[in-house]
Amino acid sequence: MRLEAITWERLTDALADRVAGLTAADGGPWLRVLLDGAPAADPGGPAEALGAALRLRGRPALVVAAAGFLRAASLRFEHGRRDAEAYYERWLDTGALWREVFGPLDPGGSGRVLPDLWDPDTDRATRSARVTLPPGGVLVLHGPLLLGHWFPADLSVHVSLSPAALARRTDPAEQWTLPAFARYDAEVRPTEAADILVRADNPIHPAWSASG
């Protein structure tokens, strides 16, 4: 796959222009964008920038972090606090995301999305109010290990790091998660599965698959 150098600002504008020209695959009034990447790749930064760029283009946008939909600690840490298999298979509450985020944006849905459900730091429900995304609005969901769950996406973006860059930029306390990302690369192949690939080994000078 051919990658072209780009700045984060130009990348944001290019993604926003592409999203603005999309029609929902399911024929509904809302678009859904996945911005996938390991925490070390910081997919939340580009997601927030994309949301802001879409609003400047007159498109309502709701940015949701997958980290707000983790399972309770009793389930995440059932096999220990540093179990890479559990991190890969059980940390993300995919059922809650389907029910509270994607379901309301199905054709004929209410558009009332729950922006988060669970605070992993306090291990308690967040009790956040639902947010109404009006017709024509765009959901931008960001986080790690998002592809391969069959989440409905009108555009998927994977922010990629080479194994060396991922190991170098992952916090020492989180190095135990690296086998989960190696498994993700082998089983899901996010660099191929995503509509657009962004390589961020150099955090200042990314490159992307412009024709993705």
Side-chain angles (χ1 to χ4, degrees):
M1 180 181 295
R2 182 171 178 268
L3 299 178
E4 297 180 6
I6 195 170
T7 65
W8 287 111
E9 292 79 6
R10 286 174 49 223
L11 175 63
T12 297
D13 285 339
L15 290 177
D17 287 343
R18 177 157 177 173
V19 172
L22 289 176
T23 300
D26 61 8
W30 299 284
L31 292 173
R32 295 135 313 179
V33 177
L34 301 183
L35 229 156
D36 174 70
D42 185 29
E48 292 288 353
L50 176 59
L54 288 168
R55 295 181 199 109
L56 287 175
R57 288 162 171 77
R59 298 294 295 270
L62 176 62
V63 180
V64 173
F69 290 87
L70 298 185
R71 290 190 168 96
S74 60
L75 297 174
R76 300 199 316 274
F77 303 143
E78 183 178 3
H79 301 290
R81 290 182 172 269
R82 296 190 172 190
D83 187 289
E85 294 300 305
Y87 180 79
Y88 183 83
E89 296 176 354
R90 303 186 62 182
W91 275 42
L92 186 64
D93 192 342
T94 56
L97 278 169
W98 278 101
R99 182 179 68 250
E100 307 293 355
V101 177
F102 292 109
L105 302 182
D106 284 340
S110 66
R112 299 182 69 241
V113 174
L114 193 65
D116 50 60
L117 178 64
W118 198 259
D119 185 333
D121 295 323
T122 63
D123 200 34
R124 295 179 182 274
T126 58
R127 302 188 184 279
S128 295
R130 292 186 179 275
V131 176
T132 298
L133 189 62
V138 182
L139 167 73
V140 182
L141 175 68
H142 66 86
L145 310 174
L146 292 181
L147 305 180
H149 294 294
W150 301 101
F151 291 143
D154 300 294
L155 185 70
S156 58
V157 181
H158 176 62
V159 184
S160 173
L161 296 175
S162 68
L166 177 62
R168 183 173 63 251
R169 289 167 54 184
T170 296
D171 187 279
E174 304 299 325
Q175 291 282 316
W176 62 271
T177 64
L178 295 179
F181 291 105
R183 179 180 172 187
Y184 184 57
D185 287 344
E187 294 184 358
V188 178
R189 298 183 180 273
T191 59
E192 301 171 20
D195 296 314
I196 292 178
L197 171 64
V198 178
R199 178 59 64 87
D201 285 4
N202 185 325
I204 300 175
H205 302 291
W208 77 315
S209 56
S211 60

